[in-house]
Amino acid sequence: MTDPYGKIDQAKLAKLAEVSVQVGLNLQPGQDLVLTAPTTALPLVRQVVAAAYKAGANIVTPILSDDAITLARYESADDASFDCAPNWLYNGMAEAYGNNAARMAISAENPALLSGQDPAKVARAGKANSLAYKPALDHIVNFNINWNITAFPGLAWAKLVFPDLPDDEAVFQLSEAIFAASRINEPDPVAAWAAHNANLKSRTDYLNDQRFHALHYTGPGTDLTIGLADGHEWAGGASDAKNGITCNPNIPTEEVFTTPHAMRVDGYVRATKPLAHQGAVIEDIEVKFVDGRIIEASASKGEAAFIKLLDSDDGARRIGEVALVPHGSPISQSGVLFYNTLFDENAASHIALGQCYTDCFVGGADLSKDQIKAQGGNSSIIHVDWMIGSAEINIDGLDSNGKRTPLFRAGEWAV
Amino acid sequence: MTDPYGKIDQAKLAKLAEVSVQVGLNLQPGQDLVLTAPTTALPLVRQVVAAAYKAGANIVTPILSDDAITLARYESADDASFDCAPNWLYNGMAEAYGNNAARMAISAENPALLSGQDPAKVARAGKANSLAYKPALDHIVNFNINWNITAFPGLAWAKLVFPDLPDDEAVFQLSEAIFAASRINEPDPVAAWAAHNANLKSRTDYLNDQRFHALHYTGPGTDLTIGLADGHEWAGGASDAKNGITCNPNIPTEEVFTTPHAMRVDGYVRATKPLAHQGAVIEDIEVKFVDGRIIEASASKGEAAFIKLLDSDDGARRIGEVALVPHGSPISQSGVLFYNTLFDENAASHIALGQCYTDCFVGGADLSKDQIKAQGGNSSIIHVDWMIGSAEINIDGLDSNGKRTPLFRAGEWAV
């Protein structure tokens, strides 16, 4: 029996844990940490816990999921189970975040885990989970606390990305792709992240000076105008959480992003990468927006799962995030399709269905829900990114008079 | 690399999961289940989850601990961490049990995990945990819900029990000892448990008819009189939880037990087996009681950990449970010292320091805390069993006039 994780560079794995704790969370002495991960990620979970305690964490609490346990439910549970969720656990998490615990999620699970299951059950379970999780998620999307998502090369995920390699080699190749994208190979990863954050900040400063009224996307199968929310603010790289801690929510990250206007999105758009969502891989998505709402949607594979997603609630057919990523980003250039939003969203410009980040407004911390809605911010129980950028996409910035500024040409920054 | 778990009989493991769900919990359709276990027990956790969903469970939520993660805290955390606990998680569990979730714990961890750590830190962390866990534990000790503890042969535990065997053989031997003690080898384990419960009930019926005022223990190093609480009630085997579900809290179980009078315990007693508690193995315990309180205590090994345990709170030096187990019980006859209370307490008569079971009173469900105290019930944040029975122990029942009835002779039932 060969250990599929035997080839992972353990020194790099320890460095990834350190970077996730020090740069990703910027965990402060005395802070609690809630850490969610699948059991397959235990080698990284153990390193993160050690790094967190070394950084002065008070109590670190890993909450471990397990692919086999998830499947056991789909195989054996009564139908009524799929409209339920462990509310007590999510209420507990909301209590922890309300008491200033930091939050880390380690992404490692099989992106196609549930692709053989009934899409209706998957959607119902996902919706029940989203509803139960909302009080905890609100602390995260509102940046009440510092948080971070990082990744570990789980075997099933690695085999989806590198289907032709032996198990241990697939895991090794995915681990190296994760390390490279996470800047772990730099001599001083913490300094490399500081430089990268400065670079992203120069982009957001430019966009916040311009304060465009809308963005116009053109490319194969795409002619889409995305209005930006009134008083929107661009963000990227490091974020200042309301608890006063500057964190890097995503490791890796290459995007700058803001809040679109939920009522001012019109035209059609074709996805440029598959979307892996709740265990289904959805391919060749095409949708048409009118007045911000998706009124037509199709996919060559996983269409039923995609339509279920759109029907999650009133806000699920509108978008809550627009993000710009150059085609030349390191993750894009690696040529690897990760089937994982954390990576694929940093290889292409994208939009997200559902909930907006209230942080992406000028003075967002002080805005009421009604004000955010009035300024165009969308509200939903879901927040799902999908990729619409490629080397063939042009993007213009439009001011309120319709004056055009070329922003992207052939997938690269034009400014 | 040899899989240390490779020799476990998978059919028996699946049967243990079924017995734990059907007999141990008597899980009802639509009930939630909260399941705690170390990651080492994942093979049984997965079987239990499958069995629970097949039994109609609504949502099963495993909360997995991990020995390496526990150790990382002792190795790296700031001193202040050891007075803290994940309150949010325990508050969530209390919410779940308050909403009628069942609870299963799988015991599999290394009993000596923390034996190399500072006993003061272990005691502080244990106390902080007990305080935070009390709202959840109250639902369990008061039998508001159906609950169960079962076991899986974790490698480190197996190597402690069978230090001279190769890894996979030690795990195999411990697995077979667990299966035998849990009646998994019977042709119909569910029927075997019904017969065993009936046998234990005939013992508790006898003791409840006698309603002894006290028990008097004599043997090597032991001359101890344990007063029984006013209105005490003997229990054993199956228990009727207040949610109307009859469960078998311990798999295995061989004991009958009741509540002693916290103020009426006098004399001295020598432990007959080592006590494994919070990662320390405490050997050759000897204590002296006066008016119910331990006023002298010693141990040949782990004495500091034992004294810390006694100092947990006011009730930790008094006892809350007295249990009778014949020396001829199958677990005792196996000759295996398990270093695990779930097994060792069923191989010998024992007492428990700390919290009493309020269920072990006539009409206990309706008694207030003050009434329970007035009748002699002890209160504490701890409940720790230790073994005082052996083939050399005699026990008499005493009525309020001092009339003696021989109960145990040379470790066996005399009635």
Side-chain angles (χ1 to χ4, degrees):
Chain A
M1 194 171 78
T2 305
D3 176 6
Y5 300 101
K7 287 191 175 173
I8 294 176
D9 184 321
Q10 293 300 315
K12 289 185 184 178
L13 193 69
K15 212 173 257 191
L16 177 61
E18 279 172 35
V19 166
S20 301
V21 168
Q22 290 173 24
V23 176
L25 292 177
N26 189 16
L27 192 72
Q28 298 298 302
Q31 234 191 338
D32 286 338
L33 171 59
V34 178
L35 169 57
T36 58
T39 51
T40 188
L42 265 170
L44 180 58
V45 173
R46 290 169 178 152
Q47 296 271 16
V48 165
V49 172
Y53 279 123
K54 282 176 193 158
N58 191 39
I59 296 286
V60 183
T61 309
I63 300 293
L64 299 171
S65 58
D66 183 78
D67 282 357
I69 286 172
T70 302
L71 280 180
R73 182 180 176 210
Y74 282 89
E75 280 162 17
S76 302
D78 279 353
D79 188 71
S81 165
F82 295 94
D83 295 317
C84 300
N87 294 61
W88 68 268
L89 181 60
Y90 296 138
N91 289 344
M93 288 182 182
E95 179 188 329
Y97 304 145
N99 289 324
N100 200 37
R103 182 259 192 175
M104 187 185 292
I106 297 178
S107 182
E109 59 276 15
N110 178 2
L113 180 69
L114 300 179
S115 52
Q117 305 301 322
D118 174 5
K121 279 189 181 172
V122 175
R124 283 164 58 203
K127 184 174 177 178
N129 229 48
S130 296
L131 282 167
Y133 188 48
K134 192 156 195 321
L137 185 65
D138 278 348
H139 286 288
I140 297 166
V141 294
N142 293 333
F143 275 96
N144 293 340
I145 50 155
N146 45 327
W147 59 272
N148 169 253
I149 307 178
T150 191
F152 178 83
L155 175 59
W157 177 23
K159 291 291 281 185
L160 189 69
V161 178
F162 300 106
D164 300 329
L165 296 181
D167 287 2
D168 60 344
E169 186 63 24
V171 167
F172 173 73
Q173 290 296 340
L174 183 55
S175 74
E176 288 295 318
I178 291 170
F179 294 144
S182 306
R183 296 183 157 73
I184 298 307
N185 296 334
E186 303 285 336
D188 182 346
V190 175
W193 271 96
H196 180 54
N197 278 333
N199 181 35
L200 290 171
K201 186 166 188 311
S202 73
R203 295 288 181 199
T204 57
D205 284 350
Y206 166 81
L207 290 163
N208 284 326
D209 281 348
Q210 298 295 317
R211 212 153 293 282
F212 290 117
H213 186 65
L215 304 179
H216 180 221
Y217 293 66
T218 51
T222 293
D223 185 345
L224 183 69
T225 301
I226 299 179
L228 298 183
D230 305 338
H232 70 269
E233 187 162 42
W234 288 87
S239 293
D240 299 322
K242 287 176 191 152
N243 63 0
I245 301 170
T246 301
C247 61
N248 262 85
N250 287 2
I251 285 189
T253 187
E254 303 287 338
E255 61 176 346
V256 296
F257 58 98
T258 193
T259 300
H261 197 296
M263 304 295 165
R264 293 200 290 107
V265 184
D266 289 276
Y268 49 90
V269 60
R270 178 182 293 171
T272 52
K273 289 177 189 283
L275 166 62
H277 178 69
Q278 291 185 338
V281 177
I282 305 165
E283 294 186 9
D284 301 318
I285 297 170
E286 297 193 346
V287 305
K288 182 178 175 185
F289 286 91
V290 173
D291 294 337
R293 190 162 184 278
I294 293 176
I295 59 160
E296 290 173 17
S298 66
S300 68
K301 195 176 151 190
E303 185 174 292
F306 188 62
I307 302 295
K308 290 277 176 199
L309 178 65
L310 294 179
D311 290 339
S312 300
D313 63 9
D314 282 350
R317 283 179 179 261
R318 298 181 188 273
I319 65 174
E321 182 193 345
V322 55
L324 302 176
V325 180
H327 185 65
S329 90
I331 296 172
S332 175
Q333 290 306 302
S334 75
V336 176
L337 176 62
F338 287 85
Y339 297 96
N340 182 313
T341 297
L342 180 62
F343 290 83
D344 292 331
E345 76 167 358
N346 287 304
S349 292
H350 57 275
I351 50 182
L353 298 169
Q355 179 64 41
C356 74
Y357 288 117
T358 58
D359 212 50
C360 288
F361 285 95
V362 178
D366 302 320
L367 296 181
S368 69
K369 281 187 182 175
D370 285 346
Q371 281 174 305
I372 284 169
K373 187 179 176 187
Q375 290 182 217
N378 192 33
S379 172
S380 172
I381 58 168
I382 69 164
H383 178 100
V384 178
D385 295 274
W386 52 288
M387 312 313 147
I388 62 171
S390 75
E392 298 175 286
I393 293 288
N394 296 326
I395 309 174
D396 288 345
L398 306 178
D399 73 10
S400 52
N401 299 316
K403 193 188 134 217
R404 287 179 179 269
T405 305
L407 270 186
F408 271 59
R409 284 297 175 265
E412 300 298 334
W413 283 101
V415 289
Chain B
M1 193 171 76
T2 305
D3 176 6
Y5 300 100
K7 288 191 177 172
I8 295 176
D9 184 321
Q10 294 298 314
K12 289 186 184 178
L13 192 68
K15 214 173 257 190
L16 177 61
E18 280 172 35
V19 166
S20 300
V21 168
Q22 290 172 25
V23 176
L25 292 177
N26 189 14
L27 192 72
Q28 298 298 302
Q31 235 192 336
D32 286 339
L33 171 60
V34 178
L35 170 56
T36 58
T39 52
T40 189
L42 265 170
L44 180 58
V45 173
R46 290 169 179 152
Q47 297 272 18
V48 165
V49 172
Y53 279 124
K54 281 177 193 158
N58 190 38
I59 296 286
V60 183
T61 309
I63 300 294
L64 299 171
S65 59
D66 183 79
D67 282 356
I69 286 172
T70 302
L71 279 180
R73 182 180 176 209
Y74 282 90
E75 280 161 15
S76 302
D78 279 354
D79 187 69
S81 165
F82 295 94
D83 296 317
C84 300
N87 295 61
W88 68 268
L89 181 61
Y90 296 138
N91 290 344
M93 287 181 182
E95 179 189 330
Y97 304 144
N99 289 322
N100 200 36
R103 182 256 194 177
M104 188 186 292
I106 296 177
S107 180
E109 58 277 16
N110 178 1
L113 181 69
L114 300 179
S115 52
Q117 305 302 322
D118 174 4
K121 279 188 180 173
V122 175
R124 284 165 57 202
K127 183 173 177 179
N129 231 48
S130 296
L131 282 169
Y133 188 47
K134 187 148 198 327
L137 186 64
D138 279 347
H139 286 288
I140 297 167
V141 295
N142 293 334
F143 275 94
N144 293 341
I145 51 155
N146 46 328
W147 59 272
N148 169 253
I149 307 178
T150 190
F152 177 83
L155 174 59
W157 177 23
K159 292 291 282 184
L160 189 68
V161 178
F162 300 105
D164 300 328
L165 297 181
D167 288 2
D168 60 345
E169 186 62 24
V171 167
F172 173 72
Q173 290 296 341
L174 183 55
S175 74
E176 289 294 321
I178 291 170
F179 295 144
S182 306
R183 297 183 157 69
I184 298 307
N185 296 335
E186 303 287 334
D188 181 347
V190 175
W193 271 95
H196 181 53
N197 279 333
N199 181 37
L200 290 171
K201 189 166 186 308
S202 73
R203 295 287 183 201
T204 58
D205 284 350
Y206 166 79
L207 290 163
N208 285 326
D209 281 347
Q210 299 296 316
R211 213 153 294 283
F212 290 116
H213 185 65
L215 304 180
H216 180 219
Y217 294 65
T218 51
T222 293
D223 184 347
L224 183 69
T225 300
I226 299 179
L228 299 182
D230 305 338
H232 70 271
E233 186 162 42
W234 288 87
S239 293
D240 299 324
K242 288 179 190 147
N243 63 1
I245 301 170
T246 300
C247 62
N248 261 87
N250 287 2
I251 286 193
T253 188
E254 303 288 340
E255 60 176 346
V256 296
F257 58 100
T258 192
T259 301
H261 197 295
M263 303 297 164
R264 292 200 288 109
V265 184
D266 289 277
Y268 49 91
V269 60
R270 179 183 292 171
T272 51
K273 289 175 187 285
L275 167 63
H277 178 70
Q278 291 186 340
V281 177
I282 305 164
E283 294 185 8
D284 301 318
I285 297 171
E286 296 193 347
V287 306
K288 181 177 177 187
F289 286 91
V290 172
D291 294 338
R293 190 163 184 278
I294 293 176
I295 59 159
E296 289 172 19
S298 66
S300 69
K301 195 175 152 192
E303 183 173 294
F306 188 62
I307 302 295
K308 290 276 176 198
L309 177 66
L310 294 180
D311 290 339
S312 298
D313 64 10
D314 282 348
R317 282 179 182 261
R318 299 182 188 271
I319 64 174
E321 181 192 344
V322 55
L324 301 177
V325 180
H327 184 66
S329 91
I331 297 172
S332 176
Q333 290 307 303
S334 76
V336 176
L337 176 63
F338 287 84
Y339 297 97
N340 181 315
T341 298
L342 180 61
F343 290 84
D344 292 331
E345 75 167 356
N346 287 304
S349 291
H350 56 275
I351 51 182
L353 298 169
Q355 179 64 42
C356 73
Y357 288 116
T358 57
D359 211 50
C360 288
F361 285 94
V362 177
D366 302 320
L367 295 181
S368 69
K369 281 187 181 175
D370 285 346
Q371 281 174 304
I372 284 168
K373 188 179 175 187
Q375 290 182 220
N378 193 32
S379 173
S380 171
I381 58 169
I382 69 164
H383 178 98
V384 178
D385 294 274
W386 51 288
M387 312 314 146
I388 62 171
S390 75
E392 299 175 285
I393 292 288
N394 297 327
I395 309 175
D396 289 344
L398 305 180
D399 72 10
S400 51
N401 298 318
K403 193 189 134 216
R404 289 181 176 264
T405 304
L407 269 186
F408 270 59
R409 284 297 176 265
E412 301 297 336
W413 283 101
V415 286

